[in-house]
Amino acid sequence: MKKLLLPPMSLYLLPLFLQIATLLSAPIYTPVEDITINCGSSGTSPNIYDNQNWTGDINSKFSPIELHQDNTNTSSQVREAPPSSVSQVPYTTARLSLSEFSYKVPLSIGQKFIRLYFHPVSYDPSFDRSKTLFSVRAGGFTLLHDFNASVTADASETETLIREFCLNIDDGHSLTITFTPSRAIPDAYAFVNGIEIVSMPTNLYYTASESHGVDYVGNEVNYRIENITAMEMVYRINVGGSALSFDQDTGMYRNWGSVVDEQKYLDDLSSRWTVLPQNVSLQLNFVKIPEYSAPQVVYQTGRSMGSNHTRNKSYKLTWEFPVDPKFLYLLRLHFCEFEPEIMDPGDRSFLIYVENQLAEPQADIIVWSGGNGRPVYRDYVVFMPAGPDQKKVKLFLALQANPRDWMTAYNDVLLNGLELFKLSDTNGNLAGPNPDPPPPKPMQPKTPSKESKKKSTPMLATVAGAVSAILVLFCVLGFLVFRRRRRSKDTDDDSFLLSGLCREFSLSEIKAAPKNFN
Ligand SMILES: *[C@@H]1O[C@H](CO)[C@@H](O)[C@H](O)[C@H]1NC(C)=O
Ligand SMILES: *[C@@H]1O[C@H](CO)[C@@H](O)[C@H](O)[C@H]1NC(C)=O
Ligand SMILES: *[C@@H]1O[C@H](CO)[C@@H](O)[C@H](O)[C@H]1NC(C)=O
Ligand SMILES: *[C@@H]1O[C@H](CO)[C@@H](O)[C@H](O)[C@H]1NC(C)=O
Ligand SMILES: *[C@@H]1O[C@H](CO)[C@@H](O)[C@H](O)[C@H]1NC(C)=O
Ligand SMILES: *[C@@H]1O[C@H](CO)[C@@H](O)[C@H](O)[C@H]1NC(C)=O
Ligand SMILES: *[C@@H]1O[C@H](CO)[C@@H](O)[C@H](O)[C@H]1NC(C)=O
């Protein structure tokens, strides 16, 4: 183990280092099963961002089962992706097939995350990206139907797609995931780059048998999310905060979208309000919910109506999430009061509307959680009816300050995090239609304007220099801590770990992080 040598001048930064060390401490939840399959490759390949070894599906226990095993023309094939900006595991190789293939993964009983990774490019002339059209079934559920990965990626302006599902394994032996090319067009093929299966804490999202169920918006009775339901994660956002990639989650490798993602779903007026700055010195106290529910940062950032608490009381902070119609959705709202002036019940009471229906006439986070700095979440199930056409409909979430002054000290609202899941219908289907292709883009100017950047004053440059120097220091320290806590203590390639930790996200990656939905 390397020794940590700090130059004396950085000693005054020690408290900060310790803080970062706490942030990077061991994951809060350790999944029993943590399976990563790198489709179309052999041996094991380290993923530079999560330092997991992805197991190839060639000549391994994860080799797929094929419908037409003996016919070399129809059996699945493996390909390397053409060179592109997406160079990391599992996106560099794929398994592609004109006929059906399945992965049979041995698993224990329990609720799992299933994540499918897609990189839709033309792998070669026989696998043109416009011909990808396929369905995916698993455990009796239709996860995707006639899925066009290419148009889905184009519509979300990303190169890669991750689809995350939750399902319960109850037979205790295995899960079979089947990829079937569509019959809608000739020469349609199915493909996949990576499969990840991670066990989740029991009843993190499902309803426990002793629980009385989830608020069913617009209904008198509560709703129970039973084990016979599958779910697809459609939005997961660190409201008002930064993007959290899977190595910053509590151990389940969930991606959390940032304020940049969130802005896209705020209505015009709402996006004007500023976000609350993170208070890192706030010690969170998990008394109402397990610590693995969401990363701490989710609860240390948020969005409110701003510092002017006398603002228009009838105004509603509103998000609009495009979703597939004719499905039930589970909406989880994460809350934590972290402003020092909000300490007691009645300090900030507000109204929550889900899909234009009053879901909470008197939301009071302090009442729910028992105090400042105590995270809590609330779940709502809502049905989304069809719109005028079969396209996406908008799920509205609106928070309104309590207009009755005598009920609240501050006329304000707060939201810290949000997760939205689509629930499988009675036929076990989760699939929705493909998105429309994006409108053709006007020609971009050849060189992005660098002039504005050059104009920055020397003062700014100095500050930036100092900040980046400190960041580098943090990265080095973070790396050392990181190295200690990873379950794989034995890898020797330092440089890739470093780059993984101090990674910069491109806009498209930031956009891709939470959803990869249409
Ligand atoms: C594969 O297809 C080609 C042309 O379509 C054909 O000539 C060849 O015999 C086929 N091979 C097998 C094993 O079916
Ligand atoms: C759902 O399944 C899990 C295990 O997979 C089990 O622990 C839990 O009790 C089940 N829930 C209900 C309501 O039966
Ligand atoms: C799938 O999407 C691609 C890219 O937008 C498009 O060229 C192709 O026609 C689509 N395929 C089908 C069957 O709709
Ligand atoms: C941050 O939280 C601490 C502990 O609750 C509090 O004392 C401090 O005032 C907070 N700082 C800000 C800027 O809100
Ligand atoms: C708060 O907002 C109201 C209404 O927009 C405005 O009249 C008032 O001056 C603002 N107060 C402060 C302190 O900015
Ligand atoms: C409150 O907002 C509504 C709609 O935006 C506007 O019509 C009304 O004038 C506002 N009231 C005040 C007191 O600012
Ligand atoms: C990953 O694979 C490499 C090379 O095969 C091996 O040295 C390392 O121990 C593995 N790491 C884990 C976490 O299994």
Side-chain angles (χ1 to χ4, degrees):
M1 198 80 219
K2 273 182 200 161
K3 273 201 184 137
L4 173 60
L5 294 170
L6 290 174
M9 66 161 281
S10 49
L11 272 178
Y12 73 99
L13 285 173
L14 207 60
L16 265 170
F17 284 159
L18 291 177
Q19 197 135 48
I20 288 184
T22 339
L23 284 176
L24 290 172
S25 59
I28 295 149
Y29 169 76
T30 308
V32 189
E33 267 147 346
D34 184 356
I35 294 163
T36 44
I37 307 174
N38 187 13
C39 304
S41 71
S42 53
T44 60
S45 327
N47 173 310
I48 59 169
Y49 299 123
D50 65 357
N51 193 30
Q52 269 176 302
N53 273 340
W54 287 60
T55 310
D57 68 347
I58 298 173
N59 298 327
S60 81
K61 62 178 170 177
F62 298 126
S63 295
I65 310 146
E66 296 178 21
L67 208 56
H68 305 285
Q69 222 157 3
D70 305 325
N71 189 336
T72 49
N73 277 11
T74 52
S75 66
S76 74
Q77 301 182 26
V78 301
R79 290 284 190 283
E80 255 180 55
S84 79
S85 56
V86 184
S87 56
Q88 74 274 28
V89 170
Y91 296 119
T92 44
T93 59
R95 182 166 293 273
L96 312 97
S97 182
L98 293 162
S99 67
E100 188 173 294
F101 61 98
S102 311
Y103 289 88
K104 191 173 179 189
V105 184
L107 285 175
S108 63
I109 285 178
Q111 296 154 359
K112 321 277 173 187
F113 289 107
I114 316 288
R115 301 196 180 100
L116 304 177
Y117 292 75
F118 301 105
H119 182 199
V121 284
S122 293
Y123 283 84
D124 60 34
S126 51
F127 291 109
D128 186 273
R129 92 188 275 277
S130 67
K131 298 280 187 180
T132 132
L133 201 68
F134 57 96
S135 299
V136 181
R137 282 175 291 124
F141 298 100
T142 301
L143 306 184
L144 299 167
H145 179 74
D146 280 3
F147 174 60
N148 185 340
S150 303
V151 77
T152 307
D154 294 347
S156 58
E157 296 180 321
T158 57
E159 282 185 78
T160 58
L161 301 168
I162 307 173
R163 291 290 168 138
E164 180 184 292
F165 303 93
C166 303
L167 50 87
N168 181 57
I169 308 294
D170 59 6
D171 75 353
H173 302 295
S174 65
L175 176 71
T176 301
I177 308 174
T178 303
F179 296 80
T180 315
S182 169
R183 288 202 208 95
I185 55 162
D187 311 329
Y189 68 92
F191 83 104
V192 60
N193 297 83
I195 299 171
E196 179 183 5
I197 302 177
V198 178
S199 37
M200 67 169 85
T202 305
N203 302 328
L204 170 62
Y205 300 112
Y206 286 89
T207 309
S209 46
E210 66 273 15
S211 158
H212 58 269
V214 180
D215 275 2
Y216 190 179
V217 176
N219 285 269
E220 294 295 312
V221 289
N222 279 0
Y223 191 88
R224 300 186 59 84
I225 301 173
E226 303 284 5
N227 280 333
I228 50 160
T229 308
M231 292 182 255
E232 179 181 4
M233 190 278 291
V234 281
Y235 296 95
R236 177 178 287 132
I237 295 175
N238 177 14
V239 173
S242 55
L244 303 171
S245 65
F246 34 91
D247 54 341
Q248 292 163 301
D249 191 34
T250 53
M252 295 169 231
Y253 308 105
R254 295 169 299 179
N255 283 304
W256 295 77
S258 70
V259 66
V260 178
D261 305 293
E262 186 206 344
Q263 298 276 11
K264 291 187 287 191
Y265 308 113
L266 277 167
D267 73 1
D268 289 347
L269 265 176
S270 303
S271 59
R272 281 199 226 146
W273 309 137
T274 48
V275 297
L276 296 176
Q278 182 183 3
N279 185 351
V280 282
S281 59
L282 176 73
Q283 288 295 314
L284 295 182
N285 188 359
F286 286 85
V287 286
K288 287 286 168 171
I289 56 167
E291 204 177 342
Y292 53 63
S293 305
Q296 298 222 357
V297 192
V298 169
Y299 298 111
Q300 289 170 332
T301 54
R303 185 183 289 275
S304 74
M305 284 185 171
S307 52
N308 184 344
H309 298 297
T310 61
R311 219 189 290 268
N312 194 335
K313 289 170 195 169
S314 65
Y315 173 74
K316 291 187 187 124
L317 189 53
T318 308
W319 294 261
E320 307 167 354
F321 296 102
V323 293
D324 291 327
K326 294 189 276 183
F327 283 98
L328 283 164
Y329 288 84
L330 166 65
L331 176 64
R332 172 163 297 181
L333 304 179
H334 295 268
F335 297 106
C336 180
E337 285 292 2
F338 64 92
E339 290 180 291
E341 61 266 33
I342 311 286
M343 298 303 290
D344 299 310
D347 279 352
R348 169 156 43 200
S349 142
F350 54 99
L351 289 68
I352 301 178
Y353 296 84
V354 178
E355 204 33 34
N356 303 320
Q357 299 179 71
L358 187 59
E360 295 289 351
Q362 208 179 338
D364 190 321
I365 301 167
I366 297 285
V367 169
W368 290 337
S369 67
N372 187 288
R374 295 182 174 192
V376 70
Y377 60 73
R378 305 284 287 187
D379 288 345
Y380 306 91
V381 165
V382 62
F383 179 74
M384 292 303 295
D389 52 21
Q390 290 305 299
K391 301 287 180 197
K392 298 259 180 199
V393 288
K394 278 181 178 166
L395 191 158
F396 285 89
L397 167 66
L399 308 185
Q400 183 190 357
N402 200 324
R404 286 175 285 279
D405 289 333
W406 54 272
M407 290 175 91
T408 181
Y410 295 93
N411 304 96
D412 198 5
V413 305
L414 177 66
L415 182 63
N416 304 75
L418 172 150
E419 291 174 275
L420 187 65
F421 292 88
K422 187 202 276 184
L423 307 189
S424 59
D425 65 16
T426 46
N427 302 321
N429 178 52
L430 269 172
N434 287 307
D436 290 331
K441 278 210 183 110
M443 288 293 284
Q444 299 282 330
K446 263 183 187 167
T447 46
S449 60
K450 278 181 182 168
E451 274 80 69
S452 54
K453 273 185 186 171
K454 279 181 193 161
K455 276 182 194 159
S456 58
T457 64
M459 178 59 197
L460 263 176
T462 319
V463 172
V467 167
S468 38
I470 291 173
L471 276 178
V472 165
L473 239 111
F474 283 2
C475 282
V476 170
L477 185 96
F479 157 62
L480 289 166
V481 179
F482 182 75
R483 213 178 118 99
R484 288 183 63 190
R485 80 163 171 121
R486 287 318 302 201
R487 53 201 144 155
S488 49
K489 302 156 201 84
D490 38 14
T491 171
D492 285 320
D493 191 345
D494 291 356
S495 57
F496 75 65
L497 272 176
L498 243 181
S499 67
L501 195 75
C502 304
R503 174 179 178 211
E504 281 181 34
F505 287 86
S506 73
L507 189 60
S508 70
E509 279 174 306
I510 290 168
K511 279 186 192 160
K515 52 199 163 79
N516 303 294
F517 39 73
N518 319 331

